[in-house]
């Protein structure tokens, strides 16, 4: 696949996400990932789509892959935290939110997410 075709798939997926056509965004984004699994921007967009569709295990996998490609990406830690929180992995989510907050302390969303999980509960799972 050429870079132009790949970029077109990525842009099509992002445009569908922006319009709220999340399920339809999966087709071009998954094709783009298959063609270029080492592109963090594609993994991020796909992770966001999976979060919106409540496909949390798949979102978790995408954000984990994104962090392998971009280990200091604050949004990847936040997205991973959101997926893990939804899966009931509060302790891991709390750690992800903490790292996101450390990398981008001015982000209110990260701060709120971390504070929300700041106190462990007896039901926390790793």
């Amino acid at each position: 696949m050429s870079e132009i075709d790949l970029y077109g798939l990525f842009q099509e997926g992002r445009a569908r996400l922006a319009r709220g056509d999340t399920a339809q965004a999966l087709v071009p984004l998954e094709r783009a990932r298959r063609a270029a699994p080492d592109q963090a921007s594609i993994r991020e967009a796909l992770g966001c789509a999976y979060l919106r569709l409540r496909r949390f295990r798949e979102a978790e996998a995408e954000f984990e892959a994104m962090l392998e490609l971009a280990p200091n990406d604050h949004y990847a830690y936040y997205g991973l935290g959101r997926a893990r929180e939804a899966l009931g992995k509060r302790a891991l989510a709390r750690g992800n939110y903490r790292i996101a907050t450390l990398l981008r302390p001015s982000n209110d969303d990260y701060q709120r997410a971390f504070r929300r999980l700041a106190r462990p509960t007896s039901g926390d799972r790793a």
Side-chain angles (χ1 to χ4, degrees):
M1 176 175 294
S2 76
E3 284 187 36
I4 294 172
D5 293 339
L6 179 63
Y7 185 71
L9 286 172
F10 174 64
Q11 289 297 84
E12 180 184 346
R14 284 183 40 150
R16 289 178 181 188
L17 278 175
R19 288 192 308 265
D21 297 330
T22 307
Q24 292 79 13
L26 290 181
V27 173
L29 291 173
E30 287 175 342
R31 283 185 60 206
R33 180 192 54 201
R34 282 192 299 276
D38 59 341
Q39 294 293 315
S41 56
I42 294 169
R43 305 305 285 252
E44 178 182 331
L46 198 48
C48 291
Y50 288 140
L51 280 176
R52 289 183 190 178
L53 293 171
R54 305 180 59 79
R55 292 169 60 174
F56 301 120
R57 282 187 178 76
E58 290 158 299
E60 181 182 35
E62 290 305 319
F63 288 115
E64 286 174 340
M66 189 179 165
L67 282 170
E68 288 181 24
L69 299 166
N72 293 319
D73 190 292
H74 58 92
Y75 186 78
Y77 282 103
Y78 176 69
L80 183 56
R82 288 184 57 202
R84 287 178 168 169
E85 182 178 2
L87 290 168
K89 300 176 180 180
R90 289 177 48 95
L92 289 174
R94 186 172 42 255
N96 295 134
Y97 291 149
R98 179 68 178 141
I99 295 169
T101 300
L102 290 170
L103 291 171
R104 188 61 57 98
S106 62
N107 188 300
D108 292 336
D109 290 331
Y110 300 173
Q111 294 282 346
R112 278 190 296 274
F114 178 68
R115 281 194 307 269
R116 185 177 62 248
L117 298 184
R119 293 195 187 129
T121 66
S122 60
D124 278 2
R125 293 185 307 171

